[in-house]
Amino acid sequence: MTMPGSVEQTKAEIRFALNQLAARNGQHEFETLTRMLARATVTRNVIPATGPVAAGGDQGRDFETFHTELAGQTQRLGREIGMREGDGVGFTCTLQQADIGSKIRSDIDKIMAAGTAVTFILAYCEVNIPVARRHDLQREVRDQHGVCLEIFDGTGITELLAQHSTFWIAEQYLHLPARALPPPPDRPGWYEADLARWHATTEPVVSWGHYVDLAGCLRYAYLTREGREDIPFWLDRLAPLLDERAPRSLRHAARHQTIVAHHLGLGSMHPIDHLTAAEIDAATTSNDANLISDATVVLLLTCAAFARGETSHTADRLMAWNRALTAQVEQLLTGARYAGDVCSLLESLAALRMQPDLERAAADGTVYAAPDATTDLTLSERLQAVTDGELAPIDVPSIDRSGVMGALGRLAESLPDAPLYPVEPVCRFLSLNAALLIDEPQFDALVDVFDRRLAASMGDGATADKALDRAGALFTAGRRLAGLRHLHRARLRLFNGEAGPRLIEATLATAEAYRILRLDSAAKYYGLVAAALTQREHFDLYPQGLFKAAAADYHQGNWISSTQLNRAALLAHGLLAEQAFDLDRHSWLRYSIFELVNTRALADKLGTAYKDLVDDAIAEAGVAGLVDAFVAGVSPNGPPWWESVDADQHVAHVVKQLGRPAFADAGPQRQVRFQCLGVTWTIEFDNQEPDVAVGERFAAALQITLAHLADTDLALIPTEAKIFVATGAPGTDLTVEQVESTPTQTRFRCTLPTVEHRSPDNFTTVAQQTLGAVAAVIVTVSTLSDERWMEVLDQAIEQDLPSIVMFATPHDVALQDATRHNRLQRRIDGTRPLGDDTTCPGAGPGLEFPDTPGPGYTLAHSHDQVRYKYEHLPRLMQPTLEALRHAPTFADTVAALRKRGWLDWHILVAIHGVAKNARLHYRSPHSPDDLKTVRELFLSPEPDGDPVPLEFFSVPDLELALDATTASAAGAMWKLKLRQESIDIDAVKRLLIVRYGWARDDIEHVDPFRPCP
């Protein structure tokens, strides 16, 4: 048995053995070997050619294909070179060493001169043929005979024989020593025993017992790579049960297994299309929910086969079957008596409505086709590939996705009446189709229902697996926020189930998800938590948690912390991991070394304090050689780019790449700055250990909460919020308040107590206080009503937001555990800030300022509000408006404002504001502070014959007036609540313009500024 890593040695042994065949003229052995190899890799329907080889009686063909109606003959290599089912193929093989081209040409001439027609010729030879010469031969044969020639020389044959599935050919026909090859694929003992028994028996197959025995073996064969070669044998043994004389239920079971085996194992349904039709047609008039369920599966398999050209059934036939099955299901549901039947029928209905709508696809010009063959992957490999994003569903519309959710909703309601109904298939269905169904309103609620049922029957681990599958599918589809939501579900389930390494890996994946979303404080927190979860076992994952935290710090410019965390990660990795510094084995190492290389490159230009910090970290981690090798690999042809720029240019480059200055954590203050949902958030705190822990805890909680609420429209004002976070004594109360805000920046001061005791109750208090502070900040820049905000917050708490904000351990504790023994340096005294600390990276994917209609917006309501302004405002200022209509200079003002994009109702609102303010300040005897009088003045019509003078209505005056009414308009028109002490008018206006049609919505109207006749 060879050891891992000896594949090249194996190839060397095979190549030598092939050469020895040539040396002793083992042509017959070579022919047998290549025939077995062709059968295993190119096409199964291969037989030896007849006639003495020396006399040419084989017509130049050492072996050839035979015609068969049995599906799945063409193997993966055959498909890759263009073969299709039924293509004639001729094979020639030779050990001749000299003038190999002439030998191959001679054999091809004989093959083409007589015998069955072929479209492909495969030549196997022991001697190696240069690529250019091979291509010349292929081109010559194609031009002369019109067939495709493929040549496998000694090296090519060796590559094929060294593969896992063909080792046995080399072992048997090259008589290699046991050391040369790994063991053949493992097959279970029960399968080998059953295979031998069924080969030996002549007992007729007539009973359910025979079916159960055969079906188990057939299922193993079509679900695994190792068993596929036996599929034709098992189908042959099962065939008697397809006879009309077999009992109906037994015949149905055998037919269903035969159909599935052809599709999943042989890759073609052409030979059994008649069985498919019989199964589905029978189900369209059946009252048996199980038969309908089986037929639904067959219909969906046939639909997939249609996409790959593996069935003769047409799109029209598939859609007609869907309609017939759907109608039968809906009819049966009206009178179903048993809860189990209702659940089964609803599950079938959901699958039928999820089927690709081939009629709509054709009408839209969408091609429903898949490039790969069904048998390229096993079923489990295909499902995993979908989960991992290596395969994606074909982008065609489903028949009725909202109907899918409707059927599953009814199924969820029926579950209490069917306590033993298995929901694992439904959960798998939701996972596989998550990317297509995620936007359906009921999706998350139904996932909750089925997850809870699955957890009750199969445990939290099974439920977590489905959540991880959904998360993977959603991340692959670019739905990162939704994927993160389901990743949280999985991790919380695993935490409840104490799932060990799976929990840690899910936590690492969470850190990576936040990193992709550019929420680096959240990413750092989950990296630290992942490291903390390894304290008792699975220590090999500990360094990866620290690295995730280091990467997060690197991307937000905290390069001192990043350097020290990378050092700690590399030190631990060197002590705990096998082949610790093999970059291929531990892919995350490349990123860690990359960060250290970039940090060192800048530190070398910034002075001794920076340089010593980074050099010491690299030396202590023991990766100086790796760092130097990495630099050499980056710039093999000369000095790296950073050597040609000075420190200022280098800093500017970092800011351009990351959006933050490097070594931002070097001075006495630290800052977390990011954009999310239109707001620029800045968190500042002192660069001392307790303040860093509390400040980073707040920043992480803020980012986690914003990501969690991103799909719940908060209608945030696109302003800037700055939060000064300070440390409070343990056990004290949270305080958070607006302080010294400006019109462009809402400012808060927040005091959060530090963690005193490591106890669950104390951790819960910390989580509640931190989430309370975060909520107080977010609601201030949200325009939701108080009632709606409380609904959002209550819903988030029901969705485990507190457990997500603080998972397993608080940020303070996780940070302390990671740094306790690592001597992390927090700052470099006397340093100057590098670059502009007001820079900020862009928002992460899906976290940009929304451009969708805001909460409460409808076009009809907007038009009603505009209509009211056109009808009502002129009545309130008739004398002034009449005077303005006859003033040529005001006509110029109107023209100028319209050119700048003002709508007529904007101008009316501004005129009204100017006119009423002028009366208030110059003609009213009442104080502007008398709110009741001011309100009455603004709502009352002007006195007749008393217009406000024209000079008050300049463009600047009108601009100020419109801005002054923006806040009140937001509340009056859209019920938006503004909570800022100093309202950011420009930000409110942007919110109204982008999300509430402020600069767009208008109605047909008479020009209010044209003089009346």
Side-chain angles (χ1 to χ4, degrees):
M1 174 177 172
T2 54
M3 299 301 292
S6 62
V7 175
E8 294 306 318
Q9 178 62 32
T10 297
K11 291 178 182 178
E13 299 256 12
I14 294 173
R15 191 68 188 88
F16 176 75
L18 286 171
N19 184 259
Q20 291 304 294
L21 277 183
R24 65 173 187 269
N25 197 24
Q27 176 66 28
H28 178 73
E29 295 165 271
F30 186 63
E31 180 179 323
T32 305
L33 178 148
T34 53
R35 186 171 70 251
M36 293 298 103
L37 183 61
R39 186 174 293 164
T41 60
V42 180
T43 183
R44 291 189 178 95
N45 57 326
V46 172
I47 57 173
T50 56
V53 174
D58 61 358
Q59 299 175 329
R61 310 175 189 209
D62 294 304
F63 44 97
E64 61 184 352
T65 55
F66 63 91
H67 178 71
T68 176
E69 293 296 329
L70 187 64
Q73 299 304 302
T74 303
Q75 301 276 55
R76 186 169 187 172
L77 180 59
R79 289 193 298 273
E80 288 176 353
I81 62 179
M83 289 183 192
R84 297 172 298 178
E85 295 286 337
D87 281 345
V89 186
F91 299 84
T92 178
C93 60
T94 182
L95 291 174
Q96 181 171 312
Q97 301 292 296
D99 200 12
I100 187 65
S102 296
K103 168 61 177 170
I104 292 175
R105 291 189 192 91
S106 174
D107 284 345
I108 291 173
D109 288 342
K110 295 176 183 177
I111 290 171
M112 300 304 299
T116 56
V118 298
T119 53
F120 285 87
I121 296 175
L122 270 66
Y124 295 89
C125 58
E126 187 278 330
V127 67
N128 285 339
I129 302 178
V131 172
R133 190 175 176 194
R134 184 187 311 150
H135 290 170
D136 288 342
L137 276 171
Q138 291 172 318
R139 187 162 43 249
E140 180 182 328
V141 170
R142 184 173 60 250
D143 293 343
Q144 183 174 350
H145 298 289
V147 297
C148 296
L149 169 66
E150 293 293 336
I151 302 172
F152 296 94
D153 60 9
T155 298
I157 294 170
T158 297
E159 291 285 340
L160 293 175
L161 290 175
Q163 294 178 9
H164 187 73
S165 60
T166 51
F167 278 138
W168 66 273
I169 300 174
E171 190 170 24
Q172 182 168 346
Y173 295 103
L174 294 179
H175 311 292
L176 295 177
R179 71 172 188 279
L181 295 174
D186 290 332
R187 303 208 293 192
W190 67 264
Y191 179 80
E192 295 292 356
D194 282 2
L195 183 63
R197 175 166 53 81
W198 279 101
H199 270 295
T201 186
T202 57
E203 178 183 1
V205 176
V206 295
S207 69
W208 272 105
H210 292 141
Y211 166 78
V212 171
D213 195 359
L214 287 168
C217 295
L218 178 59
R219 280 179 58 81
Y220 173 82
Y222 68 66
L223 290 175
T224 67
R225 289 193 176 278
E226 293 78 13
R228 281 184 173 176
E229 64 188 44
D230 302 323
I231 293 175
F233 170 77
W234 296 119
L235 288 174
D236 184 62
R237 297 313 306 263
L238 194 63
L241 297 181
L242 299 175
D243 192 273
E244 289 295 326
R245 291 169 292 184
R248 179 178 298 176
S249 59
L250 183 55
R251 185 168 70 249
H252 164 77
R255 180 176 64 199
H256 187 79
Q257 284 298 325
T258 299
I259 293 169
V260 176
H262 269 266
H263 177 74
L264 296 179
L266 299 179
S268 177
M269 300 180 80
H270 288 289
I272 44 88
D273 276 342
H274 63 291
L275 297 181
T276 300
E279 172 126 343
I280 300 175
D281 286 338
T284 59
T285 57
S286 174
N287 295 331
D288 189 327
N290 292 322
L291 294 183
I292 291 174
S293 176
D294 285 346
T296 300
V297 170
V298 168
L299 175 58
L300 296 178
L301 292 180
T302 309
C303 197
F306 173 81
R308 294 177 170 83
E310 297 172 353
T311 180
S312 300
H313 292 308
T314 63
D316 289 342
R317 187 85 181 270
L318 294 173
M319 294 301 294
W321 273 334
N322 184 285
R323 286 189 288 270
L325 280 174
T326 300
Q328 183 66 5
V329 168
E330 290 175 336
Q331 179 181 343
L332 292 177
L333 281 170
T334 61
R337 298 174 52 192
Y338 302 108
D341 286 347
V342 170
C343 291
S344 178
L345 290 168
L346 288 169
E347 189 175 337
S348 296
L349 183 60
L352 289 167
R353 288 173 170 169
M354 195 69 208
Q355 178 185 315
D357 190 335
L358 303 182
E359 292 172 342
R360 198 175 353 152
D364 296 342
T366 304
V367 178
Y368 180 60
D372 61 329
T374 301
T375 51
D376 283 350
L377 301 170
T378 65
L379 178 60
S380 61
E381 290 170 344
R382 187 169 292 278
L383 294 178
Q384 188 60 47
V386 171
T387 298
D388 295 342
E390 297 167 5
L391 289 178
I394 304 172
D395 188 17
V396 296
S398 300
I399 288 176
D400 181 9
R401 291 182 188 172
S402 63
V404 173
M405 305 312 290
L408 293 180
R410 293 171 61 189
L411 173 56
E413 294 171 357
S414 302
L415 286 180
D417 297 325
L420 297 181
Y421 187 78
V423 297
E424 195 277 338
V426 179
C427 293
R428 185 169 64 248
F429 174 87
L430 286 169
S431 296
L432 289 173
N433 295 293
L436 301 176
L437 297 174
I438 187 63
D439 290 324
E440 296 298 327
Q442 292 177 276
F443 183 79
D444 280 344
L446 287 175
V447 164
D448 282 340
V449 172
F450 293 116
D451 273 2
R452 285 196 296 270
R453 179 64 172 266
L454 185 65
S457 60
M458 298 181 65
D460 285 322
T463 309
D465 286 340
K466 293 296 181 290
L468 287 171
D469 289 344
R470 291 192 299 271
L474 291 167
F475 277 117
T476 299
R479 303 299 299 273
R480 296 174 179 86
L481 287 168
L484 178 63
R485 193 163 64 245
H486 288 270
L487 187 55
H488 283 312
R489 291 171 184 260
R491 200 188 57 261
L492 291 172
R493 287 284 184 183
L494 291 170
F495 188 65
N496 293 336
E498 299 179 358
R502 291 166 64 208
L503 171 62
I504 299 167
E505 288 165 359
T507 307
L508 290 169
T510 306
E512 182 61 22
Y514 280 119
R515 167 79 283 282
I516 292 171
L517 291 169
R518 300 180 191 167
L519 301 176
D520 289 299
S521 294
K524 179 176 181 177
Y525 170 57
Y526 271 95
L528 293 172
V529 170
L533 290 171
T534 66
Q535 288 184 355
R536 295 184 180 178
E537 54 184 348
H538 312 296
F539 300 114
D540 56 316
L541 294 174
Y542 174 76
Q544 294 189 45
L546 293 184
F547 165 68
K548 294 293 185 186
D553 265 332
Y554 176 86
H555 282 90
Q556 55 189 342
N558 294 335
W559 282 17
I560 293 179
S561 178
S562 170
T563 298
Q564 300 290 6
L565 285 169
N566 267 319
R567 178 183 67 85
L570 292 168
L571 274 169
H573 182 68
L575 294 171
L576 299 173
E578 296 182 11
Q579 302 180 29
F581 296 118
D582 183 340
L583 298 182
D584 293 326
R585 185 184 181 96
H586 308 287
S587 58
W588 64 268
L589 281 176
R590 295 182 183 275
Y591 300 100
S592 180
I593 299 300
F594 168 82
E595 290 165 12
L596 287 174
V597 165
N598 278 357
T599 305
R600 187 182 71 172
L602 179 56
D604 286 347
K605 301 170 185 174
L606 296 177
T608 303
Y610 291 96
K611 186 178 187 313
D612 289 349
L613 172 80
V614 179
D615 286 345
D616 289 349
I618 290 173
E620 290 178 22
V623 293
L626 274 179
V627 169
D628 292 339
F630 190 93
V631 172
V634 168
S635 54
N637 300 320
W641 66 267
W642 55 79
E643 291 192 10
S644 62
V645 298
D646 61 23
D648 290 338
Q649 291 170 323
H650 200 144
V651 168
H653 176 81
V654 172
V655 171
K656 182 178 179 181
Q657 294 297 312
L658 301 182
R660 295 293 292 149
F663 293 105
D665 53 345
Q669 297 286 324
R670 288 184 62 168
Q671 187 186 83
V672 174
R673 191 169 167 84
F674 64 99
Q675 293 184 49
C676 187
L677 303 179
V679 180
T680 300
W681 308 87
T682 304
I683 302 96
E684 280 193 355
F685 43 90
D686 288 339
N687 198 7
Q688 302 291 340
E689 184 170 346
D691 298 285
V692 169
V694 169
E696 288 187 343
R697 185 214 305 164
F698 178 90
L702 176 61
Q703 292 181 352
I704 292 167
T705 303
L706 288 169
H708 188 85
L709 298 178
D711 287 337
T712 304
D713 199 336
L714 301 177
L716 298 182
I717 302 170
T719 186
E720 182 167 350
K722 189 170 188 176
I723 307 97
F724 303 91
V725 179
T727 303
T732 57
D733 292 334
L734 155 75
T735 63
V736 56
E737 58 182 342
Q738 286 193 58
V739 292
E740 301 174 354
S741 293
T742 69
T744 59
Q745 188 179 75
T746 303
R747 297 175 180 173
F748 303 84
R749 183 172 299 281
C750 174
T751 303
L752 281 172
T754 58
V755 176
E756 182 179 20
H757 303 294
R758 297 192 177 202
S759 67
D761 289 343
N762 197 31
F763 289 175
T764 300
T765 301
V766 167
Q768 291 172 344
Q769 289 179 324
T770 308
L771 185 55
V774 163
V777 168
I778 294 175
V779 72
T780 304
V781 293
S782 170
T783 59
L784 296 182
S785 67
D786 292 341
E787 296 78 10
R788 176 57 184 149
W789 168 253
M790 291 309 300
E791 289 176 7
V792 168
L793 203 56
D794 289 344
Q795 183 181 28
I797 291 172
E798 289 176 4
Q799 294 171 344
D800 293 315
L801 178 59
S803 297
I804 297 169
V805 166
M806 196 210 74
F807 176 67
T809 186
H811 185 284
D812 315 47
V813 175
L815 181 61
Q816 184 180 6
D817 288 346
T819 60
R820 182 184 303 161
H821 304 297
N822 290 311
R823 297 182 291 107
L824 295 192
Q825 183 174 343
R826 296 255 171 228
R827 53 194 283 184
I828 297 176
D829 293 328
T831 59
R832 61 181 178 85
L834 302 177
D836 182 1
D837 66 358
T838 63
T839 58
C840 187
L847 296 173
E848 303 87 354
F849 179 54
D851 57 2
T852 53
Y857 173 85
T858 67
L859 183 60
H861 177 73
S862 183
H863 283 174
D864 287 343
Q865 293 292 310
V866 172
R867 184 176 295 107
Y868 176 81
K869 287 176 173 51
Y870 282 126
E871 294 174 353
H872 183 65
L873 290 179
R875 291 200 296 266
L876 296 181
M877 50 180 184
Q878 190 170 355
T880 297
L881 189 58
E882 186 64 26
L884 292 175
R885 286 171 178 161
H886 292 84
T889 55
F890 186 73
D892 294 339
T893 298
V894 169
L897 292 175
R898 285 172 172 171
K899 188 174 182 180
R900 291 167 54 179
W902 284 45
L903 304 176
D904 284 354
W905 64 267
H906 294 157
I907 303 174
L908 281 174
V909 168
I911 293 172
H912 180 255
V914 169
K916 292 304 177 75
N917 272 301
R919 290 189 184 279
L920 175 65
H921 288 92
Y922 296 105
R923 298 188 182 181
S924 173
H926 301 284
S927 168
D929 297 329
D930 184 350
L931 297 182
K932 181 180 178 181
T933 302
V934 171
R935 176 176 174 81
E936 290 176 353
L937 174 67
F938 270 78
L939 296 179
S940 301
E942 290 181 332
D944 291 338
D946 184 21
V948 175
L950 176 64
E951 58 265 23
F952 283 95
F953 298 96
S954 67
V955 169
D957 289 329
L958 293 171
E959 288 175 333
L960 288 174
L962 186 63
D963 284 348
T965 60
T966 299
S968 60
M973 294 178 68
W974 301 110
K975 303 298 186 285
L976 303 183
K977 180 149 187 166
L978 304 181
R979 299 178 176 90
Q980 296 170 298
E981 287 183 354
S982 181
I983 295 175
D984 187 341
I985 293 298
D986 287 340
V988 173
K989 189 185 296 184
R990 184 182 174 211
L991 173 69
L992 294 176
I993 289 172
V994 174
R995 310 201 62 197
Y996 288 91
W998 177 266
R1000 177 190 66 244
D1001 293 352
D1002 204 353
I1003 62 170
E1004 293 289 334
H1005 60 279
V1006 176
D1007 187 345
F1009 311 113
R1010 180 177 298 174
C1012 296

